[in-house]
Amino acid sequence: MRNVFLFAPLLALLLASCATQSARPVPPADAGSIDSARQMQLERERILRGQTDWSLAGRVAISNGRKGGSGRIDWQQQGDTYTVSLSAPVTRQSWRLSGGSRGARLDGIEGGPREGADAARLLREATGWEIPVEALGDWVRGVSAQGLPQATMQFDSQGHLSHMEQGGWAIDYRWPETTSAAPVLPQRVDAVKGEAKVKLIVDEWAPISP
C-alpha cells in the first residue's frame, strides 16, 4: 500500500506560501552569546520534558523521493502515548497513527488497520514514508530526542535553536515573535534525512488538561 495519502497539490502550494510568509531567517548567534543560548536551551528542555501532555494542530507535507503527501495534522501527546491524525481536504482521505511504548496502530488504510511494535517501521511498510515518530515528538517542540546520540545544535542571534542534527536527521526551526515568559514553541519545523522530508507548520499549540 503506497497510496495511503495522495499528494494534494493545492495544499502543497498553500504550505509553500505560508512558509514564505513566516520563514524570516534570523542571523546566527555570535561567539559571545552561544554559551548563553546553550544554557537557555538546557532550561527549555528541562521544563518541556516535564510537560508531557500537549497537542498541536497544523499543516504537514511529507515526501520520500517521488512519493509525497500533505494535509492537516493533529497531534495529541499524553506521556508516552500519542495519537497523530492526518487528513487531506482535497482527496478527503485520512488516517490515524496511535501508540506508545507497547507498539503502534495505523488506521484508515486499505485492508484494514495494521499494528506493529515500531511506529516508524509500520509507517514505512504501509506508506513508503520515513517518519521518525518517537523522535519527532521531541523535535517538533525544539527538544533533542532521548534514546538517540547527542544532538548537535546551532542558535540564532535571539538565542533560539535554529538547526539541530541527531540520528541522521537535520532539523531546521522558525520561531514566532513573542514576549511570553513560558518556553517558546516552534512555528515551523523542517526535518530532512536523504530523500525523506517532513515539513510542519504549526497553527496552534495547546496543553492537554489532566
Side-chain angles (χ1 to χ4, degrees):
M1 249 301 291
R2 299 293 182 182
N3 60 343
V4 174
F5 223 62
L6 297 179
F7 189 63
L10 294 178
L11 192 55
L13 290 174
L14 177 61
L15 274 168
S17 173
C18 291
T20 301
Q21 294 174 16
S22 63
R24 291 179 289 181
V26 178
D30 57 40
S33 60
I34 289 178
D35 286 343
S36 175
R38 286 174 177 163
Q39 290 302 315
M40 184 188 302
Q41 177 67 17
L42 287 174
E43 180 63 11
R44 281 189 72 258
E45 296 203 5
R46 184 190 68 79
I47 294 173
L48 290 174
R49 291 198 194 285
Q51 299 174 359
T52 58
D53 299 346
W54 53 269
S55 68
L56 69 80
R59 291 152 286 170
V60 66
I62 304 165
S63 63
N64 189 8
R66 295 183 179 180
K67 299 181 177 68
S70 59
R72 296 290 309 179
I73 181 171
D74 290 282
W75 188 313
Q76 304 278 326
Q77 186 84 27
Q78 292 183 282
D80 65 356
T81 301
Y82 55 83
T83 300
V84 183
S85 301
L86 284 91
S87 60
V90 175
T91 62
R92 296 185 178 180
Q93 289 184 301
S94 64
W95 56 260
R96 182 180 68 183
L97 178 70
S98 57
S101 58
R102 296 184 178 181
R105 175 187 172 101
L106 182 61
D107 291 282
I109 61 175
E110 285 184 16
R114 296 190 185 186
E115 297 183 352
D118 182 274
R121 181 176 179 180
L122 181 65
L123 275 174
R124 184 168 58 250
E125 292 177 348
T127 69
W129 295 342
E130 186 73 31
I131 306 176
V133 179
E134 287 82 1
L136 197 60
D138 287 322
W139 292 342
V140 294
R141 297 198 296 166
V143 173
S144 59
Q146 296 180 307
L148 292 179
Q150 184 174 354
T152 59
M153 300 182 179
Q154 298 174 15
F155 303 91
D156 63 28
S157 60
Q158 296 179 355
H160 292 143
L161 176 64
S162 59
H163 181 82
M164 176 164 60
E165 295 185 9
Q166 188 176 29
W169 285 80
I171 308 103
D172 290 311
Y173 293 92
R174 294 290 183 268
W175 302 84
E177 296 181 4
T178 178
T179 57
S180 172
V184 181
L185 293 170
Q187 183 179 51
R188 174 183 165 190
V189 179
D190 291 273
V192 178
K193 181 181 181 182
E195 293 186 329
K197 299 179 182 180
V198 180
K199 175 190 289 185
L200 174 66
I201 296 175
V202 182
D203 294 322
E204 181 182 11
W205 287 100
I208 296 177
S209 301

